[in-house]
Amino acid sequence: MFMLLQQNSIASTICMFALIFIIFYFFMIRPQIQKQKIEKKFQEELKIGNYIVTNSGIHGKIIELKNDFCILETIIGKIKLEKNTVSKELTQLRYGEKNINIL
């Protein structure tokens, strides 16, 4: 009797951990993966002339694009940045959904 009761508690514990993992996956892990895919797509679709904001808050206009980096023109001069430092969220907050070219 005790052995059967012990096996039942182990099975229920395993089911509870599986349920917790499923909840974490759908509410935390999956949305983060989708957000990363959208961010990556945005970084790949950057064009010369776009105004952007980096993760560190640097504002500027893209004047040159290479494979993994871009040259950004700011008020103080030109800066070479990795593409993965460009933030989709910050750019859309500052320049809107369409990222309109000014000039």
Side-chain angles (χ1 to χ4, degrees):
M1 177 82 177
F2 180 72
M3 189 66 143
L4 184 61
L5 188 61
Q6 188 177 9
Q7 287 176 348
N8 244 356
S9 67
I10 291 173
S12 66
T13 304
I14 291 173
C15 287
M16 189 172 312
F17 277 116
L19 182 63
I20 290 171
F21 177 76
I22 290 170
I23 290 171
F24 268 103
Y25 178 77
F26 280 106
F27 288 106
M28 297 181 80
I29 298 170
R30 188 167 175 254
Q32 185 66 28
I33 291 171
Q34 289 176 340
K35 184 178 176 183
Q36 288 173 347
K37 285 180 183 179
I38 291 169
E39 190 88 15
K40 181 79 171 165
K41 182 180 177 190
F42 174 77
Q43 291 166 356
E44 290 172 355
E45 292 176 349
L46 290 175
K47 298 175 189 167
I48 293 175
N50 284 3
Y51 284 83
I52 59 159
V53 182
T54 65
N55 291 330
S56 59
I58 299 172
H59 295 246
K61 178 181 175 183
I62 297 175
I63 58 171
E64 187 177 339
L65 285 170
K66 299 290 182 181
N67 290 340
D68 294 331
F69 67 90
C70 60
I71 307 268
L72 194 66
E73 184 178 33
T74 64
I75 293 173
I76 59 169
K78 297 177 184 175
I79 301 174
K80 182 178 180 180
L81 297 169
E82 291 282 331
K83 275 188 179 179
N84 61 7
T85 62
V86 178
S87 171
K88 180 179 191 287
E89 276 185 30
L90 295 175
T91 300
Q92 285 180 344
L93 283 174
R94 177 65 175 99
Y95 297 108
E97 187 70 31
K98 294 183 181 180
N99 196 5
I100 300 171
N101 291 330
I102 309 166
L103 296 178

